[in-house]
Amino acid sequence: MIYDVAVVGAGAAGLMAAIFAGRGGARVAVVDGARKIGAKILISGGGRCNVTHDVVTPEDFNGNRNTIGRVLRTFSVEQTIAFFEEIGVALKREETGKLFPVTDRASTVLDALLRATREAGAEIMSGTRVKAIRTGSSFRLETNGVPLLASRVVLATGGQSVPKTGSDGHGFTIAHSLGHTVTETFPALVPLVIEEPHWIRDLTGTSADVELFVRSGSRRVLVRRRGAMLLTHFGVSGPVVLDISRHWIAARNEDRATTLVANFLPGDSAEELEKRLVAAGRRNPHGTVSSVLRGLVPERILSTLAPPTPLGRLEREERRRIALSLTELPIPVSRDRGFDYAEVTAGGVPLSEIESATMESRRCRGLYLCGEILDVDGRIGGFNFQWAWNSGRLAGLNCANLA
Ligand SMILES: Cc1cc2nc3c(=O)[nH]c(=O)nc-3n(C[C@H](O)[C@H](O)[C@H](O)COP(=O)(O)OP(=O)(O)OC[C@H]3O[C@@H](n4cnc5c(N)ncnc54)[C@H](O)[C@@H]3O)c2cc1C
């Protein structure tokens, strides 16, 4: 039997492609190596699935922003909300701008997508791993079972993050065999590890609002991000760490002297803090650094970085050292926590190798690519799913048009 469209990978992007290809009248098979489909959707957003964000712009992503912008414009956040409403998932916006299902359950999203896929007439085949794809008069998909024939193929195999969900990077090998290049891949949205003993690892569970910056060996600030940092038994995590991780990894790969630096008083420099401490000491010489900064920096961090010396007795050098440690603390990160703990993959098939209007490959006619397999990664907040919804829908619409 020849399908019009075979979608490889039933994750967020693949299910979206299958729904829109099926609705467009194509005879669709969507195959996934995993026995249980949708593991990544189920673990997303801490089990709540952060479906999208109330404002999504190309600047929320790393990758070719012109192409990303063109793809984003085809399906706005409002249209995404309406689509989910239509398939039975009402979304709510949280204070941070993130949108979640009102049920607070990722399974609501997965169940609705699977239902919509079936209603669109697409056949879902779980436990069917695609080993290779051969081209000819049609595509021949070699699987762990019987081969599948299809006129068009949508490759939606994701990246390499959390490989036990089924996204183990084999899609990159398939894309390569069909004429694509694959840029170097590395974990993104990943916690960072401090290997040697360090006080940060002793303060597990402490969370602080910080500004993090990646500083090159020549002390140039390459990237800044602000948000919550969580201190853990292995190093650092939390939204701001996840967001900056891919920038630290990329810079560190280029220059071993790259450092990650934390400011526990975002917006304040060491000089400003010193001035503040001098002024506070004049008003109350018995006060301490901790009493001045109470409520601004977590108590456990203050008691580690600032001695209880009264401000009136604090030597200039000591004051300078404390101000620097609170505003420019180097975090001795030795490595990232790897793909097992990364939410996304940085790198992949370059966007320049696909038609952004259709998601069709420029290297292999009849092949479409969407989702995380492409060289796009978004910041934390629902942006990676929005990329999957947009690019998957576009691939599905366009491969069905030829049916
Ligand atoms: C812990 C975690 C939490 C996250 N939370 C969020 C969040 O809240 N919001 C957000 O926007 N993003 C989140 N993300 C990122 C988001 O889940 C991904 O960017 C998105 O799921 C990518 O969709 P995809 O369809 O491209 O790939 P995937 O979802 O990875 O799907 C790819 C599918 O292809 C299948 N497959 C792979 N190779 C083969 C093969 N050879 N043959 C057959 N099938 C194959 C896999 O089994 C898999 O089901 C999170 C990620 C993780 C890991």
Side-chain angles (χ1 to χ4, degrees):
M1 156 158 38
I2 299 193
Y3 290 92
D4 294 325
V5 175
V7 179
V8 186
L15 289 175
M16 203 66 175
I19 291 168
F20 282 90
R23 287 181 179 184
R27 193 180 155 72
V28 182
V30 50
V31 299
D32 201 296
R35 285 215 172 277
K36 187 129 182 32
I37 284 175
K40 199 168 273 182
I41 294 177
L42 290 180
I43 60 172
S44 69
R48 296 199 300 137
C49 188
N50 177 193
V51 173
T52 184
H53 200 276
D54 64 351
V55 183
V56 178
T57 69
E59 284 64 45
D60 296 309
F61 296 86
N62 302 292
N64 182 324
R65 295 208 170 124
N66 285 334
T67 309
I68 294 170
R70 278 199 292 277
V71 174
L72 290 179
R73 281 193 291 278
T74 61
F75 194 52
S76 65
V77 172
E78 290 68 32
Q79 287 170 304
T80 307
I81 295 169
F83 165 78
F84 277 99
E85 184 87 46
E86 175 216 318
I87 65 168
V89 185
L91 298 175
K92 59 170 175 181
R93 178 192 179 281
E94 297 201 338
E95 234 173 58
T96 52
K98 295 178 182 179
L99 275 89
F100 291 90
V102 291
T103 57
D104 276 330
R105 291 167 71 113
S107 58
T108 309
V109 176
L110 177 61
D111 293 348
L113 286 169
L114 290 173
R115 198 168 49 237
T117 305
R118 290 194 188 95
E119 282 172 9
E123 208 173 310
I124 301 173
M125 303 178 190
S126 58
T128 308
R129 185 169 166 78
V130 175
K131 295 179 174 167
I133 299 180
R134 316 215 182 279
T135 53
S137 54
S138 59
F139 290 94
R140 182 184 162 94
L141 282 65
E142 307 293 351
T143 73
N144 52 347
V146 288
L148 237 81
L149 296 177
S151 307
R152 272 135 2 242
V153 167
V154 178
L155 202 53
T157 44
Q160 287 157 273
S161 59
V162 195
K164 65 174 186 235
T165 60
S167 322
D168 59 4
H170 187 61
F172 292 131
T173 310
I174 296 175
H176 189 253
S177 75
L178 294 170
H180 283 283
T181 57
V182 179
T183 67
E184 193 192 337
T185 58
F186 56 93
L189 299 186
V190 65
L192 298 173
V193 176
I194 299 172
E195 246 147 19
E196 67 256 40
H198 191 276
W199 62 263
I200 284 181
R201 295 182 12 175
D202 300 331
L203 298 193
T204 297
T206 304
S207 174
D209 175 31
V210 299
E211 183 177 48
L212 288 182
F213 38 104
V214 174
R215 197 157 63 185
S216 73
S218 57
R219 297 183 67 80
R220 202 159 62 84
V221 173
L222 304 174
V223 190
R224 287 176 194 276
R225 292 286 182 273
R226 180 170 176 179
M229 175 167 81
L230 181 67
L231 313 191
T232 76
H233 64 283
F234 60 79
V236 284
S237 189
V240 71
V241 172
L242 300 188
D243 269 341
I244 211 161
S245 59
R246 58 109 57 226
H247 300 287
W248 179 83
I249 296 166
R252 176 76 159 227
N253 285 346
E254 296 272 302
D255 171 8
R256 294 298 297 169
T258 299
T259 47
L260 183 68
V261 181
N263 183 350
F264 290 96
L265 291 159
D268 272 9
S269 65
E271 288 71 29
E272 282 159 345
L273 177 55
E274 273 187 274
K275 277 187 201 148
R276 198 195 303 187
L277 295 176
V278 169
R282 283 206 191 103
R283 282 194 306 274
N284 176 13
H286 303 294
T288 61
V289 176
S290 292
S291 64
V292 176
L293 299 179
R294 190 154 293 141
L296 294 173
V297 179
E299 206 65 47
R300 292 176 82 195
I301 292 176
L302 281 175
S303 55
T304 305
L305 294 178
T309 318
L311 290 171
R313 295 223 318 267
L314 210 53
E315 300 283 336
R316 195 171 164 193
E317 268 314 298
E318 177 73 342
R319 193 169 55 230
R320 171 101 191 122
R321 193 192 58 72
I322 296 168
L324 274 173
S325 70
L326 282 162
T327 55
E328 290 183 44
L329 182 81
I331 303 184
V333 176
S334 34
R335 60 180 172 85
D336 64 77
R337 231 181 161 205
F339 279 116
D340 282 348
Y341 294 91
E343 290 197 8
V344 202
T345 303
V349 175
L351 288 177
S352 57
E353 295 180 8
I354 57 131
E355 298 286 349
S356 58
T358 59
M359 304 312 288
E360 188 174 11
S361 161
R362 288 183 169 160
R363 300 289 170 93
C364 175
R365 300 298 298 178
L367 174 73
Y368 296 74
L369 294 97
C370 55
E372 208 179 302
I373 190 173
L374 293 164
D375 182 10
V376 176
D377 57 280
R379 66 182 180 94
I380 207 151
F383 303 97
N384 289 295
F385 274 139
Q386 188 67 55
W387 172 254
W389 313 136
N390 274 58
S391 58
R393 173 183 169 274
L394 208 48
L397 279 176
N398 285 287
C399 68
N401 266 344
L402 311 172

